[in-house]
Amino acid sequence: MGKQAMGTIGYNQQQRIDTLMYLLVYPQAPLVKSRTIELINFEKLPAGQNAIIAVMSYSGYDIEDALVLNRASVDRGYGRCLVYRNQKCILKRYANQTFDKVMGPALNAETREPIWRHQGLDADGIIMPGVKVES
């Protein structure tokens, strides 16, 4: 199931141009390796986290796909992931000597604060890191 895991996708993940990328914050190498994993060097790019689990069934027939997680582990970052979304804009230079420019946020004339649509923009017009954007 390693191909379905969320982890490190490559050594160049900061330079990739994927439109959507999920990245595990604390990836770990597998505790148990097969010969195939060693042949393809899969352990060099960890793709998942090791969980110590206990399976107990009452009657033997009611094991479902479920996990019971420790709250303290989740608070410390177990299973945390980052979602990268890539957006592009094209800035053009036109024949009449005009050009497109990325501007800072539009300010309200009375309060001198950014309008509600531009709340997440930095002074250079680029979205600030970690800001949740709602449309």
Side-chain angles (χ1 to χ4, degrees):
M1 302 307 275
K3 63 184 176 195
Q4 296 179 358
M6 181 189 332
T8 309
I9 61 167
Y11 291 121
N12 65 343
Q13 60 196 11
Q14 299 299 329
Q15 289 81 33
R16 292 175 61 97
I17 57 171
D18 297 348
T19 55
L20 182 64
M21 179 174 62
Y22 295 98
L23 181 65
L24 197 61
V25 175
Y26 302 112
Q28 298 173 340
L31 293 174
V32 180
K33 300 176 194 171
S34 66
R35 181 76 177 128
T36 308
I37 288 177
E38 291 175 357
L39 286 173
I40 63 172
N41 291 326
F42 190 71
E43 73 271 5
K44 291 184 180 177
L45 291 173
Q49 286 185 321
N50 298 314
I52 298 172
I53 61 170
V55 177
M56 180 181 79
S57 63
Y58 182 70
S59 64
Y61 296 105
D62 54 358
I63 297 175
E64 298 288 333
D65 290 335
L67 277 172
V68 178
L69 297 174
N70 184 353
R71 176 63 185 232
S73 298
V74 174
D75 290 342
R76 287 192 303 267
Y78 181 80
R80 187 166 295 164
C81 73
L82 298 173
V83 179
Y84 289 102
R85 291 182 190 270
N86 190 2
Q87 297 290 330
K88 297 177 183 68
C89 69
I90 298 172
L91 301 177
K92 295 182 181 178
R93 198 172 276 280
Y94 300 101
N96 62 355
Q97 303 302 320
T98 60
F99 56 91
D100 294 336
K101 182 177 177 183
V102 178
M103 303 285 291
L107 300 177
N108 187 340
E110 298 168 359
T111 61
R112 303 299 298 162
E113 293 193 8
I115 61 174
W116 69 274
R117 285 184 180 246
H118 296 178
Q119 290 289 331
L121 295 180
D122 214 351
D124 58 358
I126 309 296
I127 191 77
M128 291 184 284
V131 174
K132 183 177 179 182
V133 179
E134 295 181 19
S135 56

